[in-house]
Amino acid sequence: MQNTPTYAKASEGRQNLSEEEKFWGPKYGSIYPALEESEPYQKLLAQIEEFVDPIQGEKWVDLGTGSGALIDIIWNKSKGQISQLVALDLTDVMLEHLKRRLPFLKPEPREGQIKLIKHDLSKRLPFEDEEFDGVTASLVLTYIENHEGQKGIEALKALFSEVNRILKTHAQFVWTTPKYKVNFTKVFLASWKAILNPKKLKNLYYGPAILRYALKIQKKGKKGDYQFLPEEQFIKILENAGFENIKVEHSFAKQAIVFSSTKKQK
Ligand SMILES: C[S@@+](CC[C@H](N)C(=O)[O-])C[C@H]1O[C@@H](n2cnc3c(N)ncnc32)[C@H](O)[C@@H]1O
């Protein structure tokens, strides 16, 4: 029998969804995987892949996993030798996408080797201190408006401290964010090959639909609801949260920043 992943919480009815779940869930969640076909997103993944270094026996977690592209990366880079890989997201729709891609992983995961958790990042992370050898979080942390009673930049600082808490000393934290004054239209235009792919006519719908959501995200960034800060400010916040060896690259049609860092010894 196919090994099934641990799925921490069953799907829920739509009527009890929070505002964030409504945004990321049913509609955006249903079109999000099409983004994986675009060149800027592929390049973003390639940069993450270059940074992450998961090895045999380690335990990693991907926060805000979405349709799970980073799970593939961590799995493949560790050659499936990772002891456990945890994928966390707010919405059932995204976790369902991830569930569907798991049977294609090679080698096939053992029972429990990949664990899916439904959790809201505005709450304390449901993990022990120093539980992980690596944390990834792509295009998510700067979208979290509240964390444990903190708002705005304070929420982001609190989230980074949480990431630091769950990492072992010298363990890796790789994450990405839209840049300061992001312009997602540039990502859309750089995705033209995927959008105009004659073999994928549905992308003619998905491309503009994803752009509409991206523009809503961009607006929230401009208003200061989301924390798309200047790079130097992110670096300071990371250092203050206990990270060092900070490396920075730009990707996603130059609209995203990719950070790699490690947890400083206390
Ligand atoms: C832009 S997508 C990024 C997905 C994936 N990391 C990637 O790079 O493709 C943002 C993801 O963060 C999740 N998310 C948004 N707010 C969240 C929250 N408060 N708690 C947990 N996940 C959240 C969304 O459900 C969505 O899957």
Side-chain angles (χ1 to χ4, degrees), residues 90-192:
L90 176 70
T91 81
D92 291 311
V93 184
M94 293 294 194
L95 290 171
E96 292 294 334
H97 287 311
L98 170 58
K99 260 172 121 182
R100 278 192 286 276
R101 71 197 300 154
L102 294 181
F104 297 97
L105 291 179
K106 296 278 175 294
E108 197 178 316
R110 293 188 309 275
E111 189 74 41
Q113 202 179 4
I114 296 190
K115 186 175 175 185
L116 280 61
I117 295 184
K118 184 174 175 180
H119 179 78
D120 184 344
L121 287 170
S122 65
K123 306 208 168 74
R124 185 180 158 87
L125 296 177
F127 307 118
E128 302 292 325
D129 293 357
E130 310 203 349
E131 190 173 333
F132 291 96
D133 300 283
V135 171
T136 51
S138 186
L139 304 178
V140 59
L141 296 181
T142 50
Y143 303 173
I144 308 302
E145 295 178 59
N146 304 290
H147 182 77
E148 289 288 292
Q150 305 287 341
K151 281 193 169 136
I153 293 186
E154 296 308 314
L156 184 66
K157 289 180 185 169
L159 256 172
F160 282 166
S161 295
E162 262 298 87
V163 170
N164 191 271
R165 176 184 71 77
I166 66 169
L167 278 172
K168 294 175 186 163
T169 302
H170 305 312
Q172 218 187 349
F173 174 34
V174 175
W175 65 286
T176 81
T177 176
K179 68 164 196 160
Y180 181 60
K181 294 190 178 168
V182 62
N183 181 350
F184 281 123
T185 305
K186 290 193 176 168
V187 179
F188 174 76
L189 294 174
S191 303
W192 67 271

Side-chain angles (χ1 to χ4, degrees), residues 9-252:
K9 205 166 171 186
S11 294
E12 290 168 349
R14 288 183 183 185
Q15 61 277 18
N16 295 324
L17 300 185
S18 66
E19 281 308 305
E20 280 77 15
E21 274 183 278
K22 275 186 212 152
F23 182 79
W24 294 106
K27 180 111 188 286
Y28 193 32
S30 69
I31 57 176
Y32 190 79
L35 182 62
E36 289 187 30
E37 291 174 33
S38 83
E39 212 170 281
Y41 186 80
Q42 286 298 328
K43 286 188 178 160
L44 179 70
L45 292 181
Q47 184 55 59
I48 295 169
E49 185 171 12
E50 202 179 310
F51 273 154
V52 295
D53 193 17
I55 56 169
Q56 184 172 16
E58 287 190 342
K59 184 169 179 179
W60 281 60
V61 58
D62 181 37
L63 305 175
T65 201
S67 49
L70 273 73
I71 295 300
D72 280 6
I73 288 175
I74 298 165
W75 186 259
N76 292 337
K77 209 148 179 202
S78 79
K79 301 191 172 67
Q81 298 299 305
I82 198 158
S83 79
Q84 194 175 49
L85 180 49
V86 180
L88 177 152
D89 204 276
L90 176 70
T91 81
D92 291 311
V93 184
M94 293 294 194
L95 290 171
E96 292 294 334
H97 287 311
L98 170 58
K99 260 172 121 182
R100 278 192 286 276
R101 71 197 300 154
L102 294 181
F104 297 97
L105 291 179
K106 296 278 175 294
E108 197 178 316
R110 293 188 309 275
E111 189 74 41
Q113 202 179 4
I114 296 190
K115 186 175 175 185
L116 280 61
I117 295 184
K118 184 174 175 180
H119 179 78
D120 184 344
L121 287 170
S122 65
K123 306 208 168 74
R124 185 180 158 87
L125 296 177
F127 307 118
E128 302 292 325
D129 293 357
E130 310 203 349
E131 190 173 333
F132 291 96
D133 300 283
V135 171
T136 51
S138 186
L139 304 178
V140 59
L141 296 181
T142 50
Y143 303 173
I144 308 302
E145 295 178 59
N146 304 290
H147 182 77
E148 289 288 292
Q150 305 287 341
K151 281 193 169 136
I153 293 186
E154 296 308 314
L156 184 66
K157 289 180 185 169
L159 256 172
F160 282 166
S161 295
E162 262 298 87
V163 170
N164 191 271
R165 176 184 71 77
I166 66 169
L167 278 172
K168 294 175 186 163
T169 302
H170 305 312
Q172 218 187 349
F173 174 34
V174 175
W175 65 286
T176 81
T177 176
K179 68 164 196 160
Y180 181 60
K181 294 190 178 168
V182 62
N183 181 350
F184 281 123
T185 305
K186 290 193 176 168
V187 179
F188 174 76
L189 294 174
S191 303
W192 67 271
K193 269 191 204 154
I195 295 167
L196 300 178
N197 182 352
K199 290 185 186 145
K200 294 275 178 74
L201 287 178
K202 277 193 161 181
N203 287 354
L204 285 172
Y205 161 74
Y206 288 139
I210 291 175
L211 177 63
R212 273 196 293 280
Y213 272 91
L215 292 179
K216 287 184 198 172
I217 291 170
Q218 187 173 303
K219 201 167 163 192
K220 284 199 160 207
K222 272 212 179 102
K223 267 176 70 190
D225 295 342
Y226 291 170
Q227 303 306 313
F228 303 157
L229 308 175
E231 193 171 306
E232 310 72 51
Q233 206 172 340
F234 281 130
I235 292 173
K236 270 197 196 123
I237 297 175
L238 275 172
E239 285 170 345
N240 289 337
F243 292 97
E244 63 183 358
N245 299 319
I246 299 170
K247 291 186 215 148
V248 180
E249 289 291 343
H250 301 110
S251 188
F252 208 44

